[in-house]
Amino acid sequence: MAALSIRALSKRYANLEVLKDIALDIESGEFTVLVGPSGCGKSTLLNIVAGLDRPSAGTIEIGGRVVNDVAPKDRDIAMVFQSYALYPSMTVRQNITFGMECRHVPKAEQDAAVGHVAKLLQIEPLLGRKPSQLSGGQRQRVAMGRALVRNPLLFLFDEPLSNLDAKLRVEMRMEIKRLHQRIGATIVYVTHDQIEAMTMATRIAVMHQGSVQQFADPDTVYRYPANLFVARFMGSPPMNTMPARLEAENDGPVVVIGAGRPDELRLRLRGYDAAAPFVGRKVVFGIRPECIAEGSRTFSSEAPVLVEAPVELVEPTGAETMVLLRLGGEPAMARVSPDIRPAPGTSAAFALDTRRICLFDPETERLIA
Amino acid sequence: MSNAATMRPGRPALPEWVRRLPEYLTIWVPLLLSAAHLVSFSLWTIWISFTPSTLVPVAGWVGLRNYTAVTASRNWQIAFDNLLLFGSAFVLLSAATGLILAILLDQRIRGENVLRSIFLYPLAVSFVVTGTVWSWLLNPGLGIQKLVHDLGWTSFKFDWLIDRDMAIWTIVIAAIWQSCGFAMALFLAGLRSVDPDIIKAAQIDGAGPVRTYRRIILPSLWPITVTVVVIQLQFAISTFDLVRALTNGGPGIATQLPALVVYDLMFQRSLLGRGAAAAVLMLLILLAVLLPYAAWRYIQRRRGAHA
């Protein structure tokens, strides 16, 4: 059953179109992450789903029911806000029960529900406190408790981790994921952080300038980004992209970077049949940093493609070393083993994983193959 | 140009006290002047209140005789009762009016800036002007009552200004007119500082507007309410010019207030010692309001520093 389906949804403020023809179908039990840079419309979309904002056109169905004209409280949703939005004058317990109080749930039932949620989130000792007496992580838990206690069809999370420090953010990220695995709730989660999207989502909707660029599972988004925007937005550091030409040789297409230069790079492509119409034309060549490694690396059983490339900059991070090098004159980041430190200004051998190259149409910016 | 970098080695630094002279002048001179006025004249008044001074200050010691004389006088008793009535009615009604105006203004209405200026404007008018204008408006022969009579409703009666029992309420009305805009401005700032996400959360929780205000928004305004009440109370206690212009304590002494009693004793009856005693009593009433407030602020700040 589709827990949430959005059809032909658009939103405009005066002359500004913030959402354009959005269509999403989210299955029950899915953890969908809406990710995109600030101003891409993801929070507006979430507010429209919650009923806090009205769409200019299109329909929203929650649990098979069109909810366009249904008040937020009757949509069977719960929302967690970036600022937590806890009621400052109420205790944690009152914060959690306020919704039930508004719905006239009997007191005994309220107490049972609070007890259950408090145990689940381990906030029992905090129930008597006011939000101002809680740390950021504790407030986050209370905000989640307030959502969980409702047991809704759909959970909406609006950048819930952005106000936490880096360490706590990673902890809470895992905790939310664990919670999802445990209770199997349907979650729509908005974030600008592509790592959160990759680590938590069962499906990611990448948004840019008011439209969904790609809606797929994290592996597909990462491996086959639908267009250059997705390729550059997902992944840190992002995918290396550079202008190139596609040429035909006897045994298949070859991508040429820096054609005509002395250091021109020619890479044979295997299994890129979809690229055939682009032979003899310009393309955008894309390769993930982890597909460029030190020369001794083997990516698969077959022999890797080795290239000599000048090294410009080395950034050791401890877990790996990032190397800025040039491929056919174009800058590219490589992710090599931590103990490998090629000297800047020299040339070194690098192994390329040519099976995971992406080619984009330079005009439409769409993925070719 | 990096002036700082090129000048530093060439020129010797000015002595610390010369460099900070403007700071000292702007902070300490006004502070000392006002402290000298406030503290020395307060102390002087306290001293006078224990002397038998009449037309001119004289030395001597009469103990609490001035105080007992003042508190036993009918003038002071009426003034004190009036202050209790006026103070509480004015503070509560002014805060309530200000809050209602603020809530109405907060509904994203058109022309908010214009309305806000209109409501705040009375604050820019001197109390004497407020008192005079309201004395015309409330004068049965000149103002509202005459207007309604002229419109044809001749049995209409609105003569609080000359009614011994109701005259104090005319002061309440004028004072509210003057200062509810101030309360409104503070409350509006408080309403605007409520996190909009909290209101969204309440909407999703299913709270209607009344419940949202009662349970969530208004409780978060109570620090502002305390500030409003204290500022208005201290205005109420020291009210002088408004009453002087509006009723001058009349009819008879029906709208007498402590500040008027002090003025009356000191400058009309030439009883400096008694006037000073009445002034010191006013100071004590003020302290009874301000000291708990200062303590409350201190506790709040301590708690804020810990959170």
Side-chain angles (χ1 to χ4, degrees):
Chain A
M1 183 190 74
L4 169 67
S5 61
I6 297 167
R7 299 223 174 80
L9 185 124
S10 64
K11 173 73 182 173
R12 41 169 62 251
Y13 293 108
N15 294 322
L16 187 69
E17 193 160 28
V18 286
L19 291 174
K20 302 165 195 160
D21 198 24
I22 305 278
L24 290 174
D25 270 296
I26 289 161
E27 296 300 314
S28 185
E30 266 195 292
F31 194 135
T32 306
V33 174
L34 304 179
V35 68
S38 51
C40 72
K42 55 191 191 297
S43 290
T44 310
L45 180 57
L46 199 72
N47 278 334
I48 289 175
V49 170
L52 300 168
D53 208 342
R54 292 189 69 83
S56 308
T59 56
I60 303 147
E61 275 180 29
I62 295 175
R65 175 173 64 127
V66 176
V67 292
N68 281 43
D69 297 314
V70 175
K73 67 183 170 81
D74 299 321
R75 291 191 175 199
D76 205 1
I77 52 164
M79 191 156 171
V80 177
F81 295 87
Q82 179 176 357
S83 59
Y84 318 131
L86 299 179
Y87 309 127
S89 54
M90 298 186 199
T91 62
V92 168
R93 175 185 294 277
Q94 290 168 325
N95 261 281
I96 294 173
T97 56
F98 185 67
M100 292 188 280
E101 183 194 313
C102 294
R103 292 192 298 279
H104 308 291
V105 173
K107 192 82 182 69
E109 220 171 292
Q110 289 185 18
D111 289 342
V114 171
H116 174 69
V117 164
K119 201 168 163 212
L120 188 70
L121 293 169
Q122 297 166 348
I123 50 172
E124 288 132 316
L126 309 178
L127 287 175
R129 297 208 202 155
K130 291 272 178 74
S132 59
Q133 299 165 304
L134 303 178
S135 69
Q138 290 170 332
R139 286 180 205 189
Q140 177 63 63
R141 276 165 206 270
V142 174
M144 292 208 306
R146 193 169 63 179
L148 282 173
V149 79
R150 184 151 186 191
N151 195 18
L153 266 181
L154 191 60
F155 286 95
L156 306 174
F157 284 77
D158 189 5
E159 308 221 12
L161 303 184
S162 339
N163 284 0
L164 300 177
D165 61 51
K167 185 168 169 285
L168 204 52
R169 189 152 53 212
V170 175
E171 281 173 29
M172 290 305 294
R173 196 169 78 199
M174 288 203 266
E175 204 159 310
I176 293 175
K177 186 165 184 170
R178 200 174 294 140
L179 201 65
H180 174 248
Q181 286 170 353
R182 186 137 43 121
I183 63 175
T186 315
I187 296 175
V188 179
Y189 185 109
V190 161
T191 182
H192 62 267
D193 182 348
Q194 50 91 20
I195 305 248
E196 276 176 30
M198 287 298 294
T199 51
M200 295 196 287
T202 57
R203 271 209 288 176
I204 298 178
V206 184
M207 293 186 64
H208 180 49
Q209 291 178 340
S211 50
V212 176
Q213 307 289 313
Q214 186 169 15
F215 184 38
D217 63 275
D219 290 334
T220 308
V221 169
Y222 195 75
R223 174 65 185 89
Y224 302 104
N227 56 36
L228 274 177
F229 173 80
V230 178
R232 288 172 184 155
F233 186 76
M234 302 301 290
S236 170
M239 182 185 276
N240 298 300
T241 53
M242 54 201 80
R245 269 186 75 79
L246 209 59
E247 289 178 7
E249 278 189 0
N250 307 336
D251 48 353
V254 169
V255 65
V256 186
I257 301 158
R261 292 170 52 107
D263 57 352
E264 144 186 304
L265 179 67
R266 302 176 74 86
L267 297 169
R268 167 129 321 122
L269 297 176
R270 277 183 226 286
Y272 282 78
D273 301 336
F278 283 82
V279 167
R281 289 166 60 183
K282 285 183 182 168
V283 293
V284 175
F285 169 82
I287 187 165
R288 293 268 175 208
E290 60 271 26
C291 297
I292 311 174
E294 65 277 10
S296 57
R297 181 90 65 92
T298 50
F299 291 104
S300 62
S301 53
E302 49 188 299
V305 178
L306 285 176
V307 295
E308 273 293 302
V311 173
E312 290 201 340
L313 199 70
V314 174
E315 292 182 322
T317 67
E320 64 205 7
T321 301
M322 304 305 302
V323 178
L324 179 64
L325 49 84
R326 287 197 178 259
L327 292 178
E330 301 289 340
M333 285 297 260
R335 203 186 279 260
V336 303
S337 293
D339 46 344
I340 296 197
R341 305 278 166 88
T346 63
S347 269
F350 291 92
L352 303 188
D353 188 355
T354 54
R355 297 164 310 157
R356 302 191 63 182
I357 286 170
C358 291
L359 296 176
F360 300 92
D361 183 334
E363 267 147 45
T364 62
E365 301 201 338
R366 284 178 190 285
L367 183 73
I368 302 166
Chain B
M1 288 293 285
S2 55
N3 271 341
T6 51
M7 280 170 66
R8 208 174 287 148
R11 219 166 86 178
L14 290 167
E16 177 76 4
W17 71 270
V18 177
R19 218 166 41 73
R20 301 191 67 170
L21 197 59
E23 275 172 54
Y24 292 143
L25 284 177
T26 46
I27 295 172
W28 288 106
V29 172
L31 193 65
L32 285 175
L33 277 175
S34 49
H37 275 82
L38 207 78
V39 175
S40 62
F41 286 125
S42 299
L43 291 176
W44 191 78
T45 305
I46 293 170
W47 175 66
I48 289 292
S49 73
F50 291 104
T51 65
S53 309
T54 50
L55 185 61
V56 288
V58 293
W61 182 262
V62 294
L64 291 174
R65 210 164 70 203
N66 285 328
Y67 288 89
T68 47
V70 167
T71 49
S73 76
R74 196 170 145 62
N75 220 2
W76 174 264
Q77 283 162 1
I78 287 178
F80 191 76
D81 289 349
N82 278 342
L83 179 62
L84 288 182
L85 175 70
F86 167 72
S88 42
F90 158 69
V91 167
L92 291 179
L93 291 175
S94 157
T97 317
L99 181 62
I100 291 168
L101 287 176
I103 289 175
L104 292 178
L105 264 190
D106 193 35
Q107 309 301 315
R108 298 173 184 282
I109 51 165
R110 209 174 301 174
E112 185 199 310
N113 286 334
V114 176
L115 288 172
R116 204 172 46 207
S117 308
I118 290 175
F119 292 136
L120 261 181
Y121 208 77
L123 208 61
V125 176
S126 124
F127 282 113
V128 177
V129 176
T130 303
T132 310
V133 170
W134 277 95
S135 75
W136 294 336
L137 280 174
L138 296 169
N139 186 322
L142 283 175
I144 297 168
Q145 181 175 318
K146 173 138 193 330
L147 179 79
V148 177
H149 282 188
D150 290 351
L151 287 173
W153 183 7
T154 47
S155 60
F156 177 81
K157 203 170 163 212
F158 185 53
D159 58 355
W160 289 5
L161 194 65
I162 52 169
D163 181 330
R164 293 186 70 88
D165 295 324
M166 298 306 282
I168 189 74
W169 291 98
T170 63
I171 299 168
V172 173
I173 291 171
I176 289 173
W177 178 84
Q178 170 115 12
S179 66
C180 71
F182 167 74
M184 177 208 72
L186 289 191
F187 281 128
L188 190 59
L191 289 174
R192 288 285 150 85
S193 68
V194 173
D195 178 0
D197 279 353
I198 289 183
I199 295 161
K200 289 186 191 173
Q203 237 176 308
I204 292 177
D205 267 340
V210 175
R211 198 195 289 260
T212 307
Y213 271 104
R214 192 170 54 82
R215 292 288 310 274
I216 297 162
I217 300 177
L218 296 186
S220 71
L221 287 185
W222 78 270
I224 291 179
T225 312
V226 173
T227 305
V228 168
V229 164
V230 168
I231 292 176
Q232 307 277 53
L233 254 184
Q234 115 195 350
F235 157 72
I237 293 167
S238 54
T239 297
F240 173 74
D241 31 10
L242 181 67
V243 193
R244 180 107 173 108
L246 186 54
T247 63
N248 200 10
I253 54 168
T255 57
Q256 199 69 281
L257 282 177
L260 284 177
V261 175
V262 173
Y263 175 79
D264 181 57
L265 288 173
M266 278 193 175
F267 303 111
Q268 285 177 320
R269 303 194 195 180
S270 301
L271 294 169
L272 261 189
R274 283 195 195 174
V280 172
L281 287 174
M282 270 179 73
L283 184 67
L284 291 177
I285 300 171
L286 260 177
L287 287 179
V289 171
L290 291 180
L291 286 182
Y293 177 65
W296 176 78
R297 286 285 300 268
Y298 178 75
I299 292 167
Q300 286 273 309
R301 211 170 303 152
R302 283 278 298 268
R303 203 180 287 162
H306 282 295

